[in-house]
Amino acid sequence: MSKTRQDRLDAIARDPAFDVVVIGGGVNGIGTFRDLSLQGLRVLLVERNDFSSGCSAAPSRMIHGGLRYLENGEFSLVQESLRERDVLLSNAAHMVHPLPTVVPVTSVFSGMFNAAAGFFGWSGKPARRGALPIKLGLSLYDWITRKRRALPRHKFHSAAATHREWPALTTAARFSAVFYDAAITHPERLCIEMIADTEATASECIAVNYAGLTPLGDGFVLTCQRSGRKLAVQPRTIVNATGAWLDSTAASLGNGAAERMVSGTKGSHVIVENQQLLKALNGHMVYFENADGRVCIAFPFQGNVLAGSTDIRVDKACRVRCEDDEMDYILGSLQSVFPEINVSPDDVLFSFSGIRPLPQSDQDFTGRISRGHFIKRLDGKVPQFCMIGGKWTTFRAFAEDTADLVLAELSHERRCKTEALAIGGGRDFLRGAGVLERDLVQNYAISPDRATHLVSHYGSAAAAMQDVCSNGTPDLPLAVGSPYSTNEIAHLIRTEQVEDLSDIVLRRTALAITGAISMELIEVLAEILAAERGLSPKEIGDQQICLIEELSDYYGVSPQMLTERNNQWRKQCV
């Protein structure tokens, strides 16, 4: 158990009184923890697993306005999403980047009445969208952002122009539309940065992973899942930000709702290593309809291609994986839009899946279920505010709405807003990645690849990370060709509440999602973690076994794949 973790638990033991306890360390919970802490309240964030290890670790990696939400008539959601997209482009510019997007269009008038059908209660799948409804939607997109334009307007291309730019695209495309949204490279790291910022600014506020909260008498008890230590906690209010687990969490706290609040759908994605497909994308995301009416995506992601996704109803919240039929669905969708490119399951480096915590709905077609968000207050000895719905792009606005209700409950005035508050390495990033990378190469005599890696992971804090790496013990690459270094990993373990090998491989770094993780690299990381934590050979050995099983069971990375990757280091894990 790390010293910093011990310090956090000791602080709770010394003073168990908190204005707010936020349960759930995903992006919505972390955003709410951040907002409330900045208002001068004492806030505790409790996560039963690792931070950002549930649905928040399984998004499409898109930061977007939600073009298709217009069809559902959710104009206010699109407006909010576009505003929050632009906020993240500014406040987290080291991780959130513009994403040019091409929409293949195969007809002209089809889909004109989709919105009207939804308005009159039709819950089936929409008709395929043609040029006119797509043009209308993109024009609305541009109109909404007209007063604070951060990205270029949309453009339409003829068939000839389309196939000049994307020659491998299906010949069924009679036109194409190009517009801009954004993508995030390391969503899990952005969550960690928000926690670090919050605890640095509000020292009385505490975030703890691998811990649970249960009622006990007139109060609650926090249980550390690492040591078994139990601590009394006395909150004035509780925020339930547990996503797909929201209903069961509410019930466990003693004041569950009479009716179900969340209706989850499962979304799976794959990371594909296929250079032909990567080239065919021409630096764009392709945003297209599959045969079942579901919108699918594929875009360049850290040297590979991210493709998805599925949208399958689930009756019960549990940990999920991308099943074989889902992989077939995603790869089949790629075949439909790039028919001459063969993408096989052997090209899949990594897969991931999560449950979207959508509001309870009876819609037959899951794409019509709202991606909006709202808060429900539950009465009790300690009032509970339940965060229902939401998506990655709008986490800050959702957190602000929740914080406002909690502040009103506590009769506490808001001191500040977060709309103009940069996150982590997004502070002082205005000079841009190129300038920061050049300075790192000149000042530290490191390679351009290493500089690019540091800036893409830590933004304006890249130099501070390299300072740590350059002082003390010799700093070595984790392996030949790996941009990560031994001192870098050790520093993450010391400062970012790392408890398990999986925390490093899946969330503090991009080693797993880029296909760079191997059996030998797991050994190297295990040695570093064991040294930093003083773990016995059995303890670290058990963690290795658990990580290998987790990669196989939930991410499609088998032990055989890990072994085959030994000594096959890629320079794409940036």
Side-chain angles (χ1 to χ4, degrees):
M1 187 166 65
S2 69
K3 182 178 184 295
T4 54
R5 182 176 182 82
Q6 186 67 53
D7 290 343
R8 287 177 173 87
L9 297 178
D10 288 346
I12 296 169
R14 287 192 300 270
D15 183 0
F18 289 89
D19 296 304
V20 190
V21 171
V22 179
I23 304 177
V27 68
N28 289 327
I30 291 170
T32 304
F33 170 68
R34 173 184 181 233
D35 195 310
L36 287 168
S37 296
L38 292 171
Q39 313 315 321
L41 298 176
R42 188 165 188 250
V43 188
L44 171 65
L45 173 67
V46 180
E47 166 55 45
R48 66 178 179 178
N49 297 306
D50 189 24
F51 302 120
S52 190
S53 60
C55 184
S56 295
S60 65
R61 265 69 180 170
M62 290 170 60
I63 301 295
H64 64 114
L67 177 62
R68 68 180 180 82
Y69 307 156
L70 292 170
E71 192 172 77
N72 295 343
E74 297 182 285
F75 300 108
S76 61
L77 174 59
V78 174
Q79 187 173 30
E80 178 184 67
S81 298
L82 287 170
R83 183 188 71 240
E84 295 302 312
R85 178 201 69 185
D86 294 348
V87 165
L88 281 168
L89 281 166
S90 175
N91 291 343
H94 59 315
M95 291 188 189
V96 180
H97 311 286
L99 180 63
T101 301
V102 59
V103 184
V105 185
T106 59
S107 65
V108 178
F109 299 104
S110 179
M112 284 295 295
F113 301 105
N114 283 344
F119 179 79
F120 286 107
W122 170 249
S123 60
K125 74 175 184 178
R128 184 174 291 274
R129 292 87 172 173
L132 284 181
I134 290 172
K135 178 69 176 177
L136 177 60
L138 291 175
S139 296
L140 283 170
Y141 230 52
D142 290 341
W143 184 82
I144 289 170
T145 57
R146 68 195 183 282
K147 294 182 179 179
R148 44 171 179 76
R149 189 169 307 285
L151 296 172
R153 293 173 178 269
H154 82 276
K155 293 181 180 179
F156 252 74
H157 294 296
S158 66
T162 296
H163 293 291
R164 279 198 303 271
E165 292 293 318
W166 297 277
L169 198 63
T170 174
T171 56
R174 298 171 59 185
F175 316 93
S176 66
V178 173
F179 72 100
Y180 279 76
D181 262 324
I184 182 168
T185 50
H186 306 289
E188 303 91 345
R189 287 210 53 77
L190 197 66
C191 286
I192 294 296
E193 289 190 350
M194 283 194 284
I195 291 172
D197 286 352
T198 301
E199 291 190 332
T201 303
S203 59
E204 288 297 305
C205 297
I206 302 166
V208 183
N209 55 0
Y210 296 104
L213 191 77
T214 53
L216 182 65
D218 292 332
F220 295 84
V221 61
L222 181 143
T223 303
C224 170
Q225 294 177 4
R226 286 296 179 263
S227 65
R229 185 179 180 184
K230 295 183 181 294
L231 302 168
V233 175
Q234 298 166 358
R236 297 171 63 194
T237 56
I238 289 175
V239 172
N240 181 347
T242 55
W245 286 263
L246 185 133
D247 288 293
S248 59
T249 300
S252 73
L253 295 174
N255 50 351
E259 298 179 355
R260 188 174 178 182
M261 295 179 281
V262 170
S263 174
T265 70
K266 177 188 177 187
S268 295
H269 300 77
V270 297
I271 303 296
V272 175
E273 183 183 39
N274 185 302
Q275 290 304 306
Q276 190 180 4
L277 178 61
L278 181 62
K279 182 180 178 182
L281 291 171
N282 194 20
H284 288 63
M285 178 171 79
V286 60
Y287 179 96
F288 62 100
E289 288 182 73
N290 206 4
D292 61 353
R294 168 74 186 160
V295 172
C296 294
I297 58 168
F299 64 93
F301 183 78
Q302 302 193 54
N304 298 306
V305 175
L306 187 154
S309 72
T310 57
D311 197 17
I312 302 168
R313 280 191 180 275
V314 293
D315 295 325
K316 183 179 179 181
C318 61
R319 192 166 186 187
V320 291
R321 56 170 289 160
C322 178
E323 302 293 347
D324 290 344
D325 59 337
E326 293 179 274
M327 185 178 297
D328 291 342
Y329 174 90
I330 296 170
L331 298 185
S333 75
L334 294 175
Q335 195 77 53
S336 73
V337 74
F338 293 111
E340 301 304 316
I341 298 176
N342 180 38
V343 184
S344 76
D346 291 339
D347 295 331
V348 176
L349 297 174
F350 185 82
S351 61
F352 58 96
S353 187
I355 298 177
R356 305 177 184 95
L358 306 180
Q360 173 64 24
S361 172
D362 295 325
Q363 289 282 357
D364 294 332
F365 183 69
T366 53
R368 290 193 183 276
I369 302 176
S370 174
R371 267 55 174 175
H373 55 78
F374 61 96
I375 304 105
K376 183 179 179 66
R377 183 190 185 279
L378 300 179
D379 293 328
K381 288 182 293 185
V382 178
Q384 181 184 161
F385 293 86
C386 298
M387 300 181 74
I388 302 167
K391 63 194 189 86
W392 236 102
T393 304
T394 57
F395 80 84
R396 190 210 63 84
F398 195 7
E400 184 173 271
D401 291 346
T402 307
D404 284 340
L405 290 178
V406 173
L407 290 169
E409 179 78 25
L410 298 176
S411 300
H412 189 95
E413 292 292 326
R414 174 175 283 279
R415 295 182 178 181
C416 64
K417 291 201 171 190
T418 57
E419 189 167 357
L421 185 64
I423 300 170
R427 287 188 292 273
D428 303 320
F429 197 75
L430 294 178
R431 292 192 302 154
V435 174
L436 293 173
E437 290 169 16
R438 183 197 65 200
D439 290 350
L440 285 168
V441 171
Q442 291 177 349
N443 297 336
Y444 295 95
I446 59 176
S447 70
D449 283 349
R450 171 69 175 167
T452 298
H453 159 78
L454 289 169
V455 172
S456 70
H457 280 61
Y458 312 111
S460 58
M465 173 60 84
Q466 188 58 38
D467 273 338
V468 170
C469 293
S470 299
N471 294 320
T473 59
D475 191 34
L476 302 172
L478 288 183
V480 176
S482 174
Y484 294 95
S485 72
T486 53
N487 286 352
E488 178 184 358
I489 297 299
H491 184 68
L492 296 180
I493 292 169
R494 294 177 199 136
T495 62
E496 294 190 350
Q497 302 200 55
V498 170
E499 294 295 320
D500 281 345
L501 276 173
S502 64
D503 301 342
I504 304 171
V505 171
L506 291 165
R507 289 172 288 278
R508 304 306 186 274
T509 71
L511 287 167
I513 199 168
T514 56
I517 193 62
S518 71
M519 203 68 81
E520 288 186 1
L521 195 49
I522 290 173
E523 290 280 354
V524 174
L525 294 167
E527 290 178 10
I528 299 171
L529 181 60
E532 289 295 323
R533 288 284 183 267
L535 301 176
S536 69
K538 182 182 185 308
E539 288 172 324
I540 196 62
D542 288 345
Q543 286 202 21
Q544 287 177 262
I545 292 170
C546 288
L547 172 60
I548 292 167
E549 290 177 348
E550 183 177 16
L551 288 170
S552 180
D553 291 345
Y554 295 105
Y555 300 100
V557 182
S558 67
Q560 180 183 353
M561 291 169 67
L562 291 171
T563 301
E564 289 173 351
R565 290 175 183 173
N566 287 345
N567 301 319
Q568 296 177 0
W569 312 109
R570 297 171 173 85
K571 293 184 179 180
Q572 63 217 37
C573 33
V574 258

Coordinates of all heavy atoms in Angstrom, one line a residue, residues 460-499:
S460 N 1.9 20.2 -21.0 CA 2.8 21.2 -20.5 C 3.6 20.7 -19.3 O 4.6 21.3 -18.9 CB 2.1 22.5 -20.1 OG 1.1 22.2 -19.2
A461 N 3.2 19.6 -18.7 CA 4.0 18.9 -17.6 C 5.0 18.0 -18.1 O 5.7 17.3 -17.3 CB 3.0 18.2 -16.7
A462 N 5.2 17.9 -19.4 CA 6.2 17.0 -20.0 C 7.6 17.3 -19.5 O 8.4 16.3 -19.2 CB 6.2 17.1 -21.5
A463 N 8.0 18.5 -19.4 CA 9.3 18.8 -18.9 C 9.5 18.4 -17.4 O 10.6 17.9 -17.1 CB 9.6 20.3 -19.1
A464 N 8.5 18.6 -16.6 CA 8.6 18.2 -15.2 C 8.7 16.7 -15.1 O 9.5 16.2 -14.3 CB 7.3 18.6 -14.5
M465 N 8.1 15.9 -16.0 CA 8.2 14.5 -16.0 C 9.7 14.1 -16.4 O 10.3 13.2 -15.8 CB 7.2 13.8 -17.0 CG 7.5 12.3 -17.2 SD 7.4 11.3 -15.6 CE 5.6 11.1 -15.5
Q466 N 10.2 14.8 -17.5 CA 11.5 14.5 -17.9 C 12.6 14.8 -16.8 O 13.6 14.2 -16.7 CB 11.9 15.1 -19.2 CG 13.2 14.7 -19.8 CD 13.3 13.2 -20.1 OE1 12.3 12.6 -20.5 NE2 14.5 12.6 -19.8
D467 N 12.3 15.9 -16.1 CA 13.2 16.3 -14.9 C 13.3 15.1 -14.0 O 14.4 14.8 -13.5 CB 12.6 17.5 -14.2 CG 13.1 18.8 -14.8 OD1 14.1 18.8 -15.5 OD2 12.4 19.8 -14.6
V468 N 12.1 14.5 -13.6 CA 12.1 13.4 -12.7 C 12.9 12.2 -13.3 O 13.7 11.6 -12.6 CB 10.7 13.0 -12.4 CG1 10.6 11.6 -11.7 CG2 9.9 14.0 -11.6
C469 N 12.7 12.0 -14.6 CA 13.3 10.8 -15.2 C 14.9 11.0 -15.4 O 15.6 10.1 -15.3 CB 12.7 10.6 -16.6 SG 11.0 10.1 -16.6
S470 N 15.3 12.3 -15.5 CA 16.7 12.6 -15.7 C 17.5 12.6 -14.4 O 18.8 12.6 -14.4 CB 16.9 13.9 -16.4 OG 16.2 13.9 -17.7
N471 N 16.9 12.7 -13.3 CA 17.6 12.8 -12.0 C 17.5 11.4 -11.2 O 16.5 10.7 -11.3 CB 16.9 13.9 -11.1 CG 17.1 15.2 -11.7 OD1 18.2 15.5 -12.3 ND2 16.1 16.1 -11.6
G472 N 18.6 11.1 -10.5 CA 18.6 9.9 -9.7 C 19.1 8.7 -10.5 O 20.1 8.8 -11.2
T473 N 18.4 7.6 -10.4 CA 18.9 6.3 -11.1 C 18.9 6.5 -12.6 O 18.1 7.2 -13.1 CB 18.0 5.1 -10.6 OG1 16.7 5.4 -11.0 CG2 18.1 5.0 -9.1
P474 N 19.7 5.7 -13.3 CA 19.7 5.8 -14.7 C 18.3 5.4 -15.3 O 17.6 4.5 -14.8 CB 20.7 4.7 -15.1 CG 21.6 4.6 -14.0 CD 20.8 4.8 -12.8
D475 N 17.9 6.2 -16.3 CA 16.6 6.1 -16.9 C 16.7 5.3 -18.2 O 17.4 5.7 -19.1 CB 15.9 7.4 -17.1 CG 14.5 7.3 -17.5 OD1 13.8 6.4 -17.0 OD2 14.0 8.2 -18.3
L476 N 16.0 4.2 -18.3 CA 16.2 3.3 -19.4 C 14.8 3.1 -20.1 O 13.8 3.1 -19.4 CB 16.7 1.9 -19.0 CG 18.1 1.9 -18.3 CD1 18.4 0.5 -17.8 CD2 19.2 2.4 -19.3
P477 N 14.7 2.9 -21.4 CA 13.5 2.5 -22.0 C 13.0 1.2 -21.4 O 13.8 0.3 -21.0 CB 13.8 2.3 -23.5 CG 15.1 3.0 -23.7 CD 15.8 2.9 -22.4
L478 N 11.7 1.1 -21.3 CA 11.1 -0.2 -20.8 C 11.6 -1.4 -21.6 O 11.8 -2.5 -21.1 CB 9.6 -0.2 -20.8 CG 8.9 0.7 -19.8 CD1 7.4 0.5 -19.9 CD2 9.4 0.4 -18.3
A479 N 11.8 -1.1 -22.9 CA 12.2 -2.1 -23.9 C 12.7 -1.4 -25.1 O 12.4 -0.2 -25.3 CB 11.2 -3.1 -24.2
V480 N 13.4 -2.1 -26.0 CA 13.9 -1.5 -27.2 C 12.6 -1.0 -28.0 O 11.7 -1.8 -28.3 CB 14.7 -2.5 -28.1 CG1 15.0 -1.9 -29.4 CG2 15.9 -2.9 -27.3
G481 N 12.6 0.3 -28.4 CA 11.5 0.8 -29.2 C 10.4 1.3 -28.4 O 9.5 2.0 -28.9
S482 N 10.3 1.1 -27.0 CA 9.2 1.6 -26.2 C 9.5 3.1 -25.8 O 10.6 3.4 -25.4 CB 9.1 0.8 -25.0 OG 8.1 1.4 -24.1
P483 N 8.5 4.0 -26.0 CA 8.7 5.4 -25.6 C 8.7 5.6 -24.1 O 9.1 6.6 -23.6 CB 7.6 6.1 -26.3 CG 6.5 5.1 -26.4 CD 7.2 3.8 -26.6
Y484 N 8.1 4.6 -23.3 CA 8.0 4.7 -21.9 C 9.4 4.3 -21.3 O 10.1 3.5 -21.8 CB 7.0 3.8 -21.3 CG 5.6 4.1 -21.7 CD1 5.0 3.5 -22.8 CD2 4.8 5.1 -21.0 CE1 3.7 3.9 -23.2 CE2 3.5 5.4 -21.3 CZ 3.0 4.8 -22.4 OH 1.7 5.1 -22.8
S485 N 9.7 4.9 -20.1 CA 11.0 4.7 -19.5 C 10.7 4.1 -18.0 O 9.7 4.3 -17.5 CB 11.8 5.9 -19.4 OG 11.3 6.8 -18.5
T486 N 11.8 3.6 -17.5 CA 11.7 2.9 -16.2 C 11.4 4.0 -15.1 O 10.5 3.8 -14.2 CB 13.0 2.2 -15.8 OG1 14.1 3.1 -16.0 CG2 13.1 1.0 -16.7
N487 N 12.1 5.1 -15.1 CA 11.8 6.1 -14.1 C 10.5 6.8 -14.3 O 9.8 7.2 -13.3 CB 12.9 7.2 -14.2 CG 14.2 6.7 -13.6 OD1 14.3 5.7 -13.0 ND2 15.3 7.5 -13.8
E488 N 10.0 6.9 -15.5 CA 8.6 7.4 -15.7 C 7.6 6.5 -15.1 O 6.7 7.0 -14.4 CB 8.4 7.5 -17.3 CG 7.1 7.9 -17.7 CD 6.9 7.9 -19.2 OE1 7.9 7.5 -19.9 OE2 5.8 8.2 -19.7
I489 N 7.7 5.2 -15.3 CA 6.7 4.3 -14.7 C 6.8 4.4 -13.2 O 5.8 4.4 -12.5 CB 7.0 2.9 -15.2 CG1 6.8 2.8 -16.7 CG2 6.1 1.9 -14.4 CD1 5.4 3.1 -17.2
A490 N 8.0 4.4 -12.6 CA 8.2 4.5 -11.2 C 7.5 5.8 -10.6 O 6.8 5.7 -9.6 CB 9.7 4.5 -10.8
H491 N 7.6 6.9 -11.3 CA 7.0 8.1 -10.9 C 5.5 8.0 -10.9 O 4.8 8.5 -10.0 CB 7.5 9.3 -11.8 CG 7.0 10.6 -11.3 ND1 7.4 11.2 -10.1 CD2 6.1 11.5 -11.9 CE1 6.8 12.4 -10.0 NE2 6.0 12.5 -11.1
L492 N 4.9 7.4 -12.0 CA 3.5 7.2 -12.0 C 3.0 6.4 -10.9 O 2.0 6.7 -10.3 CB 3.1 6.6 -13.4 CG 3.4 7.3 -14.6 CD1 2.9 6.5 -15.9 CD2 2.7 8.7 -14.6
I493 N 3.7 5.4 -10.5 CA 3.4 4.5 -9.4 C 3.4 5.3 -8.1 O 2.4 5.2 -7.3 CB 4.3 3.3 -9.3 CG1 4.1 2.4 -10.5 CG2 4.1 2.5 -8.0 CD1 5.2 1.3 -10.6
R494 N 4.3 6.2 -7.9 CA 4.5 7.0 -6.7 C 3.4 8.0 -6.5 O 3.0 8.4 -5.4 CB 5.8 7.6 -6.6 CG 7.0 6.7 -6.5 CD 8.3 7.5 -6.5 NE 9.4 6.6 -6.8 CZ 10.4 6.9 -7.6 NH1 10.4 8.1 -8.3 NH2 11.4 6.1 -7.9
T495 N 3.0 8.6 -7.7 CA 2.2 9.8 -7.6 C 0.7 9.7 -8.1 O -0.1 10.6 -7.9 CB 2.8 10.9 -8.4 OG1 2.9 10.5 -9.8 CG2 4.2 11.2 -7.9
E496 N 0.4 8.6 -8.7 CA -1.0 8.5 -9.3 C -1.8 7.3 -8.8 O -2.7 6.8 -9.5 CB -0.8 8.4 -10.9 CG -0.2 9.6 -11.5 CD -0.3 9.7 -13.0 OE1 -0.6 8.6 -13.6 OE2 0.0 10.7 -13.6
Q497 N -1.6 7.0 -7.5 CA -2.5 6.0 -6.9 C -2.5 4.7 -7.6 O -3.6 4.1 -7.7 CB -3.9 6.6 -6.6 CG -3.9 7.9 -5.8 CD -5.2 8.2 -5.2 OE1 -5.8 7.4 -4.5 NE2 -5.8 9.4 -5.4
V498 N -1.4 4.2 -8.1 CA -1.3 2.9 -8.7 C -1.3 1.9 -7.7 O -0.4 1.9 -6.8 CB -0.1 2.8 -9.6 CG1 0.1 1.4 -10.1 CG2 -0.2 3.8 -10.8
E499 N -2.2 0.9 -7.7 CA -2.2 -0.2 -6.8 C -1.9 -1.6 -7.4 O -1.4 -2.5 -6.8 CB -3.5 -0.3 -6.1 CG -3.8 0.9 -5.2 CD -2.8 1.0 -4.0 OE1 -2.5 0.0 -3.4 OE2 -2.4 2.2 -3.7

